[in-house]
Amino acid sequence: MGIVRFWKDLSVSKKLYTVVGILAFMIATELLTLIFAMNTLSAVRAFVAGEAIWSKAQKDAVHNLERYVVTSNRRFYLQFLENLKIPAGDRVARLELEAPVMDMQKLRDGFLAGGNHPDDIQSVVNLMRRFSDVPHVQKAVAAWREGDSLIDELQLLGVQIDNEVSKGIRKRNNQKISEALDEIYVLNQKLTAVETDFSNTLGAASRWVEGLLAAFLILLVITIEGTGLGLTFIFSRRLTTDLQQLNVVADKVGNGEFDVDVPVNSKDEVGQLALSLKHMVSNIQQLIDDKRTAVHASQTKNLFLANMSHEIRTPLNAILGFTELMRDPELSDSDKIHYLDIIKRTGNNLATIINDILDLSKVEADQMEVETEVFSLSQLMQDLYLLLGMRAKEKGIEFKIQKKGEVSECIQTDPGRLRQVLLNLAGNAIKFTERGSVNLSYEVRGHYLFFTVKDTGKGIPKTQLNSLFKPFSQGDSSVSKKFGGTGLGLILSKKLAQLMGGDIGLLESTYQRGSTFYIKVAYQPVYEGKQRVSEVSQEQKAPQNFEKLAGKKVLIVEDTKDNQVLLNLYLAKVGMKVSFADNGEEGIKKALIESYDIVLMDMQMPVKDGYEATKELRSKGYQVPIVALTGYAMKGDREKCLRAGCNDYIAKPVSKSQLMTTVHQLVVKEETNETVAQENFITV
């Protein structure tokens, strides 16, 4: 499978190169085999030629020896000895061929002495090396070895004859000469038989080599042709199949079927083309899905805007209406107080709606941060009970808060956000419950503080479960809802819970019978913080005394006249002397000319904004506390104001208590620090 996968992933060009390369390699192998066959057969031919020279020399030696006996002419004996030098040279070559380590020079000299052609020597050596273990070669060498042994006997008989012939005609022993000639005759027949056997063996070896090489060449040719045809067939079939599949996919895409699966069978050029087509189809499908999502989001957004229009216009209608009624001079004091309560309550509801929208925007923009601190969990639950218990009582339903198991008195998380989440879920439960009860329980589960909100209300239909935690959606999505609300509470609560290391979800819900939600946050118990929390709580509950602010001078740099009037009413009521500047440039001039105890700086103004004005004042050594007033409440806005040189930050709409507390802390603290510094200076 690995080879098949590798071949499929190989590029088309490399596949072609591979096919051509394999064929070229096999053709080269065939050519080398032919060359090898030619060399081998040439070596056999050289062996045969050498055997002919050897045989002729042996016959000539016998013939010259016979003539020597007849004529007693020593010239023929010398020719006999010369003839035997050829078998002697071949014997030297044979002995070197059989030696473990060949002496090539000695071997070459032996073959040359044996009458072999110099160009045939190396091919004969190669033949003996390559085929030394082949039976035909071994048999031929054995015959060669036997022939050399018979030549030795012939040479001894020649010496005996020479000894008798040298005595002269009268003294020689013709009987011995005759017996020697008979033995030579027998040797000659044996040599002839050995020579014939040698020649036959070489012939059989030649035919064996020819057959072997022919079979190999035929097999090689079949392999080359088969491999070429096989690779071509596989390659063309795969290419055709892939292209046909791509054509089918292209036709479907052209007809608008974008959910088709594009097969990617390889990593070659065709596979890359298929992958590109797959990505293109996926991108088109994604664009279609994005378009559908955008259309749905637009519809949801429009519905949300319609809801917001209703939710915002309703309290605005009450505020504007009762404000107009307040202008009636005949209105009684009790009615005025009642109308003012309505205006305040409606304004708070409107602020809650705006805060929910801003909080969700912060979370979606990853600009929401939780501020962890140690606080009393039981105190938080008591506050929730007091607030939600009144709502439940007004509706005639029961509201309970229950602690299960051991839970630390003090924990560390963001108390404001935890309170917001619990108020939202428990408030929803009370809002959607017409009769029965709402139970809020909490316990420790593993590493989480686990809250459960269970009600006996209207429940949630299955068709609305998927959109439960989506923004701009609500169980009842019509504009004229019975229960009101923006549809942001659950998604905002879920994201806040996630920021606190937990989550929110629906445990169960039965339509017309009730629902059970859970809230979990990271559980960080603080067992030594009870006393400190109690002290902080007492400090927070202690009434603020703003008498020390009387006579203090404050510069309000604000471009909106209505805000100037409101801030003046807050501050002048405690006896502070208020001055105004309409923009940053005017604020800088007044701050440097007159002496003030504190500056309230709006950060968004014409001519020169609050950031530039604050930076310029600080660059000139201005040390008076500056408090930023801004409608920006996103992540980083507070830090931006502090980096500009502000001492503190208040987001609009400005709370009177927060404003007075901040001014009091900065002015009195500044005054206290100066007093302490003077005392320390005097002490020194």
Side-chain angles (χ1 to χ4, degrees), residues 284-335:
I284 293 175
Q285 185 63 46
Q286 185 63 44
L287 289 174
I288 293 175
D289 292 341
D290 291 344
K291 181 180 178 180
R292 291 173 181 168
T293 303
V295 171
H296 178 70
S298 178
Q299 293 173 348
T300 306
K301 180 181 176 182
N302 291 336
L303 179 60
F304 168 73
L305 291 176
N307 289 344
M308 290 303 99
S309 175
H310 170 76
E311 296 298 332
I312 292 175
R313 286 177 179 274
T314 297
L316 277 178
N317 180 68
I319 292 172
L320 295 175
F322 283 104
T323 302
E324 186 174 352
L325 290 175
M326 288 289 295
R327 299 169 64 90
D328 186 357
E330 298 181 357
L331 195 66
S332 65
D333 292 340
S334 60
D335 287 338

Side-chain angles (χ1 to χ4, degrees), residues 343-635:
I343 292 173
K344 179 176 177 59
R345 183 173 64 253
T346 308
N348 289 335
N349 291 337
L350 182 59
T352 300
I353 295 172
I354 296 173
N355 287 335
D356 282 348
I357 298 173
L358 291 176
D359 282 345
L360 183 62
S361 300
K362 291 179 187 179
V363 173
E364 294 292 344
D366 193 25
Q367 293 186 334
M368 175 69 78
E369 291 182 345
V370 294
E371 299 179 359
T372 62
E373 62 180 80
V374 178
F375 65 95
S376 170
L377 179 60
S378 62
Q379 183 62 52
L380 176 63
M381 303 310 291
Q382 287 179 5
D383 293 343
L384 286 174
Y385 181 78
L386 291 175
L387 179 60
L388 296 174
M390 293 179 61
R391 296 186 190 176
K393 187 176 181 179
E394 291 174 356
K395 295 193 67 175
I397 61 176
E398 184 180 10
F399 176 67
K400 292 181 180 179
I401 296 180
Q402 179 185 8
K403 181 176 73 171
K404 297 181 179 180
E406 292 293 329
V407 182
S408 175
E409 166 67 21
C410 299
I411 64 171
Q412 183 168 346
T413 186
D414 190 325
R417 295 305 179 184
L418 180 59
R419 174 189 173 94
Q420 182 178 353
V421 171
L422 293 174
L423 275 175
N424 187 276
L425 260 71
N428 279 348
I430 293 173
K431 180 169 63 174
F432 291 105
T433 300
E434 297 295 335
R435 59 182 178 273
S437 63
V438 174
N439 294 318
L440 170 60
S441 63
Y442 62 101
E443 61 186 311
V444 177
R445 291 191 184 181
H447 300 291
Y448 295 102
L449 182 58
F450 199 88
F451 298 87
T452 303
V453 179
K454 184 174 183 180
D455 64 64
T456 58
K458 61 178 292 186
I460 302 171
K462 292 183 179 180
T463 55
Q464 297 172 359
L465 292 177
N466 292 332
S467 61
L468 194 59
F469 291 98
K470 291 183 179 179
F472 315 136
S473 64
Q474 196 177 29
D476 181 9
S477 58
S478 64
V479 176
S480 57
K481 299 182 298 293
K482 176 181 179 181
F483 298 101
T486 63
L488 298 177
L490 282 180
I491 180 61
L492 179 58
S493 297
K494 185 177 182 67
K495 292 184 178 294
L496 289 176
Q498 290 172 346
L499 287 174
M500 290 185 287
D503 203 355
I504 286 180
L506 177 66
L507 286 176
E508 61 178 348
S509 183
T510 304
Y511 188 58
Q512 299 299 344
R513 296 185 61 180
S515 304
T516 303
F517 285 84
Y518 75 87
I519 310 107
K520 63 178 182 179
V521 298
Y523 180 55
Q524 301 180 57
V526 179
Y527 297 104
E528 298 178 356
K530 183 175 181 180
Q531 181 178 356
R532 180 159 60 90
V533 170
S534 177
E535 292 173 353
V536 172
S537 179
Q538 292 299 325
E539 290 178 2
Q540 292 175 346
K541 292 181 179 179
Q544 292 284 355
N545 187 354
F546 301 121
E547 294 179 356
K548 293 183 178 180
L549 293 178
K552 302 298 182 182
K553 298 180 66 176
V554 55
L555 173 62
I556 299 175
V557 186
E558 168 65 63
D559 62 321
T560 304
K561 295 298 183 181
D562 293 338
N563 287 336
Q564 289 182 2
V565 172
L566 179 62
L567 293 173
N568 180 55
L569 291 173
Y570 286 158
L571 298 171
K573 191 172 182 179
V574 297
M576 295 191 74
K577 298 179 179 179
V578 182
S579 299
F580 299 100
D582 294 332
N583 55 65
E585 188 69 41
E586 183 180 345
I588 293 172
K589 294 179 181 179
K590 286 192 173 184
L592 295 177
I593 293 174
E594 300 182 32
S595 176
Y596 295 98
D597 296 291
I598 191 169
V599 176
L600 302 181
M601 181 75 70
D602 182 24
M603 306 310 289
Q604 189 69 30
M605 295 180 293
V607 183
K608 180 171 290 188
D609 62 29
Y611 299 105
E612 294 178 0
T614 302
K615 289 179 181 178
E616 185 171 337
L617 285 172
R618 295 307 189 200
S619 67
K620 294 180 179 181
Y622 194 72
Q623 299 297 322
V624 173
I626 300 177
V627 178
L629 302 177
T630 177
Y632 296 112
M634 302 297 280
K635 178 182 177 182

